[in-house]
Amino acid sequence: MAPATTDTPIRIGMRAGWAFAAIWLFYLGENLNALLKHPAGMWRDVGLAALALFAITYVLLVSTMRRPRNGLGYPPSQLHIGIGLLVMLAFAVLQLPAAGQHVLTCAVYIAATAVMGLRLRAGLAVAVTIAIAVEVAIRVVPEWRTTSQGYALAVVLAAAATWGMRLAFERQGRLIQAQNELAELAVADERSRIAGDLHDILGHSLTVVAVKAELAQRLLDVDLDRARAELADLESLARDALADVRATALNMRGISLPGEIAAAKAALAAANVKADLPGAADDVPTRNRELFAWTIREAVTNIVRHSRARHAEVRLSPDSVEILDDGQGGALAAGSGQGLAGLRRRADERGARLTAGQRGDRPGFRVRVEVPS
């Protein structure tokens, strides 16, 4: 939806648009008083009926300008608003024989409605035209010259006030629209985050499950007891993965650095990769532990899935974690893997630096995350 502009007809965002319009009917009391004082007869009856219909038309026309905000239908078109203004003008003219100069009060309502509902330039043009017409009528009709001063100014002031209200409503509409767009972006970002987390969790868990399943299949004819142990590990891994997925969907998932070190040891052993892992993570500050845990998880998943490595090493310090292998992980150096992309996003969120690419000292792949001190 395009943002509202000052050339766009305003749609009042109040929950009771009819009440907003009806409040201002108080000023028609002057017309009503003049009509009631007029001698009984046809013009008095016509004037009273026209006054009632004028008020109803005004309330209906203004209240329909708020419909899109409350889902009650489509707003009136410019043609419908124009017809409504002409109907109001006709009812005002019908009051003239009995109400006299007091009918000029209706001009204020017509001008305000035009500025509120028509495109801004058209509404202002109508308001200016009405103000000029009122001033001319006062000067042309002799008995109005002394009793009707100020009506033209009232039309101008009403149009100016309505213009200010219109601008305020439009700014409020743009603000609400911006808030809705931000909410939609937040939902999209959260969905993307959850999707990335699910990819990381399932990518790691299913890789280990696949490796252990292959190992268990090979051990069935060689070492039945060890095959049973591997199958038991498979069941445990599957349950843990299911729990992680459920917790992630509920935004309750946690990840621990010691747990990922232990999981890396099991995964690398199952893939027949010799590993040098840190024995503890006590020196790592709490603020860095989750990021380092994700780094180890993703790097170990890549080693098991892609590298064909025979040896891997995890180096851990308070402000950095580095995973090295001697395999063939060069295809991931460009960051094309979805897991590494998610890891890079996490690193960027914490102001950390992620390096992923070929090792400089020997064949193999290197993943390093460093957090500024």
Side-chain angles (χ1 to χ4, degrees), residues 287-307:
R287 65 179 182 276
N288 295 339
R289 289 196 170 200
E290 183 178 358
L291 176 60
F292 289 0
W294 279 111
T295 304
I296 293 174
R297 171 177 286 197
E298 180 55 35
V300 169
T301 300
N302 286 336
I303 291 172
V304 173
R305 183 184 295 173
H306 303 291
S307 71

Side-chain angles (χ1 to χ4, degrees), residues 82-262:
I83 293 174
L85 293 172
L86 292 176
V87 170
M88 291 174 64
L89 179 61
F91 288 142
V93 171
L94 288 175
Q95 300 173 50
L96 183 59
Q101 71 271 23
H102 299 290
V103 77
L104 296 178
T105 305
C106 295
V108 177
Y109 290 85
I110 298 173
T113 304
V115 173
M116 184 70 76
L118 294 176
R119 291 185 175 86
L120 186 56
R121 292 181 181 178
L124 293 177
V126 170
V128 170
T129 302
I130 291 175
I132 294 174
V134 168
E135 186 66 24
V136 170
I138 292 174
R139 294 180 181 275
V140 169
V141 182
E143 58 268 25
W144 289 7
R145 292 179 183 178
T146 57
T147 60
S148 303
Q149 297 298 325
Y151 276 104
L153 178 61
V155 170
V156 173
L157 293 178
T162 305
W163 184 14
M165 293 173 59
R166 170 177 178 150
L167 294 179
F169 284 135
E170 287 178 350
R171 290 192 182 99
Q172 182 185 20
R174 288 195 293 270
L175 177 60
I176 292 174
Q177 180 181 348
Q179 290 174 340
N180 292 336
E181 290 176 353
L182 289 175
E184 291 175 359
L185 288 175
V187 171
D189 289 343
E190 183 65 9
R191 288 174 178 171
S192 177
R193 184 194 66 80
I194 292 176
D197 289 352
L198 289 176
H199 172 274
D200 294 343
I201 292 170
L202 292 178
H204 173 82
S205 300
L206 294 180
T207 297
V208 177
V209 166
V211 172
K212 283 187 169 290
E214 293 175 0
L215 178 60
Q217 187 176 11
R218 290 196 300 267
L219 291 174
L220 284 175
D221 298 327
V222 179
D223 189 340
L224 191 59
D225 291 336
R226 188 178 172 188
R228 289 195 182 97
E230 294 294 336
L231 291 174
D233 287 345
L234 281 176
E235 181 183 2
S236 177
L237 282 170
R239 293 183 183 277
D240 290 343
L242 180 60
D244 283 343
V245 170
R246 287 175 175 170
T248 299
L250 296 175
N251 199 26
M252 295 168 53
R253 173 194 48 76
I255 183 171
S256 68
L257 184 55
E260 287 307 313
I261 293 174

Side-chain angles (χ1 to χ4, degrees), residues 29-93:
E30 184 178 348
N31 296 47
L32 178 61
N33 186 48
L35 290 169
L36 292 177
K37 289 182 178 180
H38 191 274
M42 181 189 70
W43 287 117
R44 176 184 174 181
D45 296 339
V46 169
L48 290 172
L51 177 63
L53 293 173
F54 178 91
I56 293 172
T57 304
Y58 165 74
V59 170
L60 291 178
L61 192 59
V62 173
S63 63
T64 53
M65 296 177 190
R66 56 176 281 278
R67 286 186 173 180
R69 188 72 56 82
N70 290 342
L72 300 177
Y74 294 101
S77 66
Q78 295 292 283
L79 177 61
H80 290 163
I81 293 176
I83 293 174
L85 293 172
L86 292 176
V87 170
M88 291 174 64
L89 179 61
F91 288 142
V93 171

